[in-house]
Amino acid sequence: MATDGPDPRSRGRSRGLQLATGLHKALAAYDRLFTLGGIRPATVREDAERALDAVGAYRPGLREQIEGLADGAGVEPWQVAALNARTEILARSRAVPPGECSTVVQRLRTPSGGSTHVGAQTWDWHVELGSSWHTVDSAGATHRYVGITEHGILAKIGVNSAGLALHFNILGHREDRAGGIPMHVLAALVLEEAGSTEHAREILREAPVTSSGSFMLFDERSAVLLDLSPVGVFEVPEAADGTHLRTNHFLSAVPARGEKTWLYQPDSGERYAFLRDRIARHPVEQAGDLVVRLVTGPGEPPVTCVPDMTGPTGRRWASLATVVLDPAARTAHVLDGTPAEHAARPWRSLRA
């Protein structure tokens, strides 16, 4: 899906018009997940409206995009706000735990003798949302960006025309709540405005954050992995020289003390250790190696996530997409499927 326009509201409305049918299906799917999580409709609306007010106070243009999207799709603004704040709303529940994602960013040597960074990620989420995401090419703000996101959600994973790339993983802290800028809206903010990893870090340190997530930010020259949480923003060191890894647990001490360990452990730690050890044994030498390192099978931690379709709704996880980001080329490569399908299914390439 491509959007362009002279102002945020028109860009949002263009999105809404293109996504109207799919967006209604996404709303219905999330309504089911909220209900399974024991979250009352009135609470969903209250959280969504608080999030929308927070966005409007901090970045009015992003609120205008959400309102324009709602107008184009023929729904209420709070409903689109609920999609953008779905992470924060679902944080209220223990009954519908989040899925899991795995990310690797590697510094690689270039033919000229220099270096650059390339990243790869599985986007793992509820299989019921398998048809409720799309590629995005958004122009009209400070920077154009490309990548993937869910229907109705402004941004998720992508790279912008300044050469800044963003991988995004969910984390969980006991103080997570609605009322700040939702993580997915923060992703849009960074991709639209930030011209470098340092600029992105400054934006995130200033933003009113009341929930948790991990932003892996990188350009050709630098890479920074951040733990975002209600208790602050913390930088995470490399897992090894030139290698950053992320699954779904905090990697810095302060927010880790308040982590919702029941959400992701031991799974997240097992995936992290598996990737760290695999890359130590088989170093990544070229971009194509990254996706291969994310392929797992029976008996291994589920970096490649295949759903158990015998499980109930809300507990069936799948690697819905695999994304490779190349900031030097301003390119996102997207596979509609798991890393294990990288050679069997077509990839789509988008350039910012």
Side-chain angles (χ1 to χ4, degrees):
M1 182 200 68
T3 62
D4 195 355
D7 60 82
R9 190 174 297 274
S10 66
R11 292 195 298 275
R13 189 168 189 278
S14 173
R15 281 200 194 201
L17 288 168
Q18 295 179 67
L19 293 172
T21 299
L23 190 143
H24 282 80
K25 293 180 180 178
L27 285 170
Y30 273 110
D31 282 346
R32 290 192 292 273
L33 290 177
F34 295 148
T35 298
L36 285 169
I39 306 168
R40 297 183 302 109
T43 301
V44 172
R45 180 165 185 165
E46 179 182 337
D47 282 353
E49 290 177 340
R50 290 173 61 210
L52 191 59
D53 287 343
V55 172
Y58 191 65
R59 285 295 193 278
L62 292 172
R63 177 173 184 146
E64 290 174 16
Q65 282 193 55
I66 291 171
E67 291 173 340
L69 205 159
D71 179 48
V75 299
E76 294 295 321
W78 73 265
Q79 293 177 287
V80 176
L83 294 176
N84 282 271
R86 55 87 158 162
T87 299
E88 290 72 21
I89 295 170
L90 286 171
R92 289 181 173 276
S93 174
R94 283 179 178 246
V96 183
E100 64 273 338
C101 304
S102 303
T103 299
V104 180
V105 169
Q106 184 71 44
R107 185 175 67 244
L108 300 174
R109 304 299 298 177
T110 62
S112 64
S115 65
T116 189
H117 292 91
V118 180
Q121 174 175 2
T122 62
W123 174 49
D124 304 339
W125 197 229
H126 300 280
V127 73
E128 292 82 8
L129 276 299
S131 63
S132 295
W133 66 275
H134 60 280
T135 60
V136 62
D137 180 340
S138 179
T142 302
H143 303 296
R144 177 181 179 181
Y145 67 88
V146 297
I148 70 166
T149 191
E150 296 177 64
H151 293 350
I153 295 179
L154 296 186
K156 184 184 296 289
I157 302 161
V159 61
N160 71 18
S161 54
L164 175 73
L166 166 63
H167 285 297
F168 170 27
N169 293 53
I170 296 176
L171 306 175
H173 193 277
R174 294 188 186 98
E175 294 186 23
D176 286 343
R177 61 194 184 280
I181 307 300
M183 285 291 133
H184 285 87
V185 178
L186 277 178
L189 172 59
V190 166
L191 290 169
E192 285 193 355
E193 295 188 10
S196 66
T197 56
E198 183 57 37
H199 187 192
R201 180 162 41 194
E202 292 173 3
I203 290 171
L204 292 167
R205 289 193 184 281
E206 295 173 355
V209 172
T210 62
S211 55
S212 300
S214 163
F215 279 17
M216 179 69 244
L217 302 155
F218 56 107
D219 53 29
E220 291 182 67
R221 297 170 301 282
S222 62
V224 59
L225 177 57
L226 298 178
D227 280 350
L228 309 176
S229 76
V231 296
V233 176
F234 302 87
E235 188 167 341
V236 175
E238 293 178 320
D241 185 36
T243 304
H244 282 282
L245 297 177
R246 168 60 79 187
T247 50
N248 297 97
H249 60 284
F250 286 106
L251 296 171
S252 54
V254 174
R257 289 196 286 269
E259 185 166 39
K260 294 178 178 178
T261 53
W262 62 87
L263 282 180
Y264 301 109
Q265 298 291 20
D267 174 84
S268 180
E270 291 170 349
R271 284 183 286 120
Y272 184 92
F274 177 85
L275 287 172
R276 181 195 58 208
D277 295 345
R278 173 182 271 185
I279 291 172
R281 293 192 309 271
H282 306 286
V284 174
E285 297 180 354
Q286 56 187 354
D289 295 339
L290 287 171
V291 173
V292 176
R293 300 298 181 272
L294 296 174
V295 177
T296 56
E300 296 176 321
V303 175
T304 296
C305 190
V306 178
D308 177 5
M309 296 307 292
T310 65
T313 298
R315 293 185 176 271
R316 297 181 293 190
W317 318 120
S319 293
L320 300 180
T322 306
V323 185
V324 175
L325 300 180
D326 182 348
R330 275 65 167 169
T331 303
H333 304 283
V334 180
L335 174 68
D336 182 0
T338 75
E341 299 170 293
H342 71 276
R345 305 189 71 174
W347 288 77
R348 181 172 181 182
S349 296
L350 303 98
R351 191 173 192 281

